[in-house]
Amino acid sequence: MAPPLTDTSSSNYQDLPIIINGAGLVGCMAALYMAQHHGQKVVLIDKRQDYRSHKYEGRSINLAISHRAFKALGGIDQEFVKHFKDESVGLKMKGRGIHMKDLKSDSLEDQFGKTSRVGFQPYGISPDEYIVSVGRHHLNCFLLEELEKKFANVLQVEFEATPTRIEYAKMDNESVSILHFKNKEGELKSVTGKFIIGADGLNSFVRQQMQNNPNCRFSSSQTYISHAYKELSIRPNAQTGDYVMRSDCLHIWPRGDFMLIALPNPTRDFTVTLFMRQYKKRDYAHAIIPFYGQGVNCGFEDCHVFSNIIKEEQSKRGLKPTAFNSELIQAVFENYSLTRKPSADAILNLSLHNFIVMRSKTADPLFLLEQAVMRFLHKNFPQVNAFKPLYNMVAFTPQKTYADAWNTHVNRENFIAKIKQYAVQTLAACAISAISIGIYSKCRSQPPASVAVSTTTPGTTPSITEQTIQLSYSLYDASKGIAKSIGGYFGY
């Protein structure tokens, strides 16, 4: 274990560490990248207890690791990727297992999907398109232990340290950041670094300090959804000790305004999460809502992108990988903001969108038909980007940013909506034309005597021709109403 932190100061700017507030998943990954790719000393600060010393008892949706997280893990060590793809650590989920509410059987076997009653919706079309269910606690402990194992000589960790203040100063004409905190003994300490990375979650202390500093000109906003979640579990079969339902998929019980999901564990149980609307309590646990399963993937990708931007800016200036200065850091953060802010906005939109998909559309036959058509087109025309399903772009295409994936999806949906609109209008026009042709044919088939009568006087019976004309107008009005109703059904 790394030694506890002491007051850190240096007269040499290049000897200063990178300070990371938050020793969670992203904090540890950021520390790995700063130490391995940039040769920096790292100081990790966390207000919690060392999570390796006690059993995790908090609420935690299982993590779903996909290609973006694996790419970032591989950027540190390919053995990390192999470790989490090992079935003793992580379980591959190849699609969604949908539990419909109209099951007639009350048996647990049917309800939990040992029969074919549970619909399976694959995530992708190739064998390597899957996500991996991993326990958050295991992943966090693994990263921290690897960090200490590989970089004990440049790493300092301080748990149970409550940050109190951030200030900025100058050293050798370079800007530095100073983090003041109170350690677990209640002593006031401080550490000086080149810059501070805030990996401290939703109620970030670093972000709050930036908001309170008028020189930062930093603004942010938070919006809460009305749904909260409750963690449950499904235990192994009491007789056999095996899974009670298939373990190669993410199980969903879609119920419109609420849903239940279950992710498999190597211990043959399932971590279950109930999402439901609440009007008093809200989900304060996520900086972005967790409905795309991309939180850890996005965070790890952030670290990978940040490291690459540092290398890019160093290369522009002819600096060594270990050389930093204020001008470089300023350029890095500006470049990073321009690069990642669109994707941060996009993953929020994607998460909101997928929440609706999971709780409602996974049970919608029309949506399933559209997805089947999209998979067919993508499988037969993989080179056509417009045919690539949204989930495939997000989870299995790390070379495409979240912003690119979302924009492609929005443009495609707009195009499909126009096609639907034209199709509905065309069908309605065909229906009107068919009715009109039928009426015209009926008029042409009447005997000549009926055609001779063109007017009527009050109190007389209308001629067959006049009755036909009146019927034609009535049917025309009715067909327009039908066309309007059909268009309204499809949202036009």
Side-chain angles (χ1 to χ4, degrees):
M1 182 177 294
L5 184 67
T6 57
D7 288 351
T8 302
S9 61
S10 173
S11 58
N12 185 355
Y13 174 82
Q14 294 300 331
D15 289 339
L16 293 179
I18 308 298
I19 305 170
I20 301 176
N21 189 45
L25 296 169
V26 177
C28 288
M29 181 61 77
L32 282 165
Y33 267 91
M34 291 300 101
Q36 178 162 316
H37 287 266
H38 305 284
Q40 296 299 298
K41 298 177 182 177
V42 177
V43 172
L44 270 176
I45 304 286
D46 201 291
K47 65 181 181 181
R48 301 170 296 175
Q49 287 184 321
D50 187 338
Y51 38 77
R52 297 167 298 178
S53 63
H54 61 89
K55 182 180 178 180
Y56 180 77
E57 297 178 348
R59 296 192 305 167
S60 172
I61 303 171
N62 266 32
L63 300 172
I65 299 180
S66 63
H67 288 34
R68 294 179 190 271
F70 284 128
K71 182 178 180 180
L73 287 166
I76 299 298
D77 193 332
Q78 285 297 326
E79 291 300 317
F80 290 6
V81 177
K82 294 180 182 178
H83 174 78
F84 288 105
K85 288 187 176 181
D86 188 320
E87 290 189 359
S88 64
V89 177
L91 293 177
K92 297 177 182 178
M93 299 184 293
K94 301 176 182 178
R96 301 183 180 113
I98 306 301
H99 299 250
M100 306 303 292
K101 64 180 178 182
D102 57 351
L103 293 179
K104 296 179 180 179
S105 173
D106 292 329
S107 72
L108 287 179
E109 186 174 82
D110 285 346
Q111 294 291 329
F112 287 146
K114 285 293 185 180
T115 69
S116 60
R117 292 177 180 272
V118 175
F120 180 76
Q121 299 173 10
Y123 284 132
I125 60 173
S126 63
D128 66 333
E129 291 180 339
Y130 57 82
I131 59 179
V132 178
S133 173
V134 176
R136 179 186 301 271
H137 185 248
H138 173 79
L139 177 55
N140 215 155
C141 291
F142 175 86
L143 292 177
L144 183 57
E145 288 170 0
E146 288 296 321
L147 184 61
E148 291 185 337
K149 184 190 306 181
K150 293 175 178 288
F151 304 106
N153 58 324
V154 296
L155 174 71
Q156 289 183 295
V157 182
E158 182 84 358
F159 283 103
E160 298 180 67
T162 304
T164 58
R165 180 167 56 95
I166 293 176
E167 64 175 312
Y168 306 98
K170 288 286 187 180
M171 175 185 291
D172 300 333
N173 294 321
E174 304 284 3
S175 298
V176 298
S177 300
I178 305 171
L179 176 65
H180 300 270
F181 64 95
K182 185 181 294 186
N183 65 13
K184 61 182 178 181
E185 286 80 23
E187 301 171 326
L188 293 176
K189 300 284 186 178
S190 67
V191 56
T192 303
K194 295 184 179 75
F195 58 87
I196 299 175
I197 295 176
D200 44 356
L202 174 63
N203 298 309
S204 169
F205 170 80
V206 175
R207 183 174 65 246
Q208 291 171 1
Q209 289 290 295
M210 293 176 69
Q211 287 177 292
N212 295 334
N213 189 328
N215 295 322
C216 289
R217 298 184 179 182
F218 180 88
S219 62
S220 68
S221 63
Q222 293 180 352
T223 302
Y224 297 95
I225 64 172
S226 58
H227 286 71
Y229 72 93
K230 175 68 176 177
E231 184 176 299
L232 307 167
S233 65
I234 296 176
R235 297 179 180 178
N237 185 294
Q239 283 74 39
T240 65
D242 201 0
Y243 295 104
V244 296
M245 51 187 175
R246 61 188 296 176
S247 60
D248 64 342
C249 60
L250 186 153
H251 293 268
I252 306 176
W253 289 258
R255 297 298 182 265
D257 197 40
F258 66 97
M259 69 174 179
L260 192 75
I261 66 172
L263 282 77
N265 298 310
T267 48
R268 285 174 163 55
D269 59 346
F270 289 82
T271 299
V272 182
T273 311
L274 172 64
F275 296 95
M276 60 188 300
R277 187 179 296 277
Q278 289 194 356
Y279 295 96
K280 292 184 179 180
K281 296 181 180 179
R282 292 177 177 173
D283 178 10
Y284 293 99
H286 293 87
I288 59 171
I289 55 177
F291 303 119
Y292 223 112
Q294 285 293 306
V296 66
N297 295 280
C298 182
F300 283 7
E301 187 177 63
D302 284 341
C303 300
H304 182 74
V305 170
F306 185 65
S307 175
N308 284 342
I309 290 175
I310 292 176
K311 294 175 184 177
E312 177 185 328
E313 295 295 338
Q314 287 173 329
S315 177
K316 287 180 182 178
R317 293 161 178 78
L319 297 174
K320 295 180 180 179
T322 59
F324 283 75
N325 57 53
S326 298
E327 189 266 339
L328 169 74
I329 294 170
Q330 178 71 20
V332 165
F333 279 104
E334 289 179 356
N335 190 341
Y336 178 79
S337 296
L338 291 173
T339 301
R340 289 302 282 176
K341 179 61 166 63
S343 286
D345 295 336
I347 192 59
L348 174 59
N349 291 327
L350 286 162
S351 298
L352 288 167
H353 168 77
N354 207 49
F355 183 34
I356 298 171
V357 169
M358 292 176 70
R359 77 186 191 195
S360 303
K361 291 191 175 183
T362 49
D364 181 356
L366 184 59
F367 173 79
L368 298 181
L369 176 61
E370 291 178 356
Q371 294 301 299
V373 171
M374 192 63 66
R375 282 197 301 272
F376 173 81
L377 292 173
H378 177 51
K379 183 176 182 179
N380 289 278
F381 306 97
Q383 70 278 7
V384 181
N385 188 56
F387 294 157
K388 186 169 289 189
L390 177 60
Y391 197 93
N392 184 286
M393 290 188 287
V394 172
F396 309 132
T397 316
Q399 63 270 25
K400 182 183 286 289
T401 67
Y402 289 122
D404 290 340
W406 177 247
N407 291 335
T408 299
H409 169 74
V410 170
N411 292 336
R412 182 170 61 206
E413 289 297 301
N414 290 338
F415 177 76
I416 292 174
K418 290 180 180 179
I419 294 296
K420 288 180 179 178
Q421 182 180 4
Y422 293 147
V424 169
Q425 292 173 347
T426 301
L427 289 173
C430 290
I432 294 171
S433 299
I435 293 171
S436 300
I437 292 172
I439 295 170
Y440 178 75
S441 299
K442 185 175 181 180
C443 292
R444 294 280 294 177
S445 66
Q446 297 301 319
S450 65
V451 179
V453 182
S454 59
T455 60
T456 59
T457 58
T460 62
T461 303
S463 67
I464 294 177
T465 300
E466 289 174 328
Q467 292 176 4
T468 304
I469 293 171
Q470 290 173 5
L471 177 63
S472 175
Y473 283 129
S474 298
L475 290 175
Y476 179 74
D477 291 338
S479 63
K480 287 197 300 182
I482 293 171
K484 184 177 180 180
S485 299
I486 294 173
Y489 177 79
F490 287 98
Y492 306 120

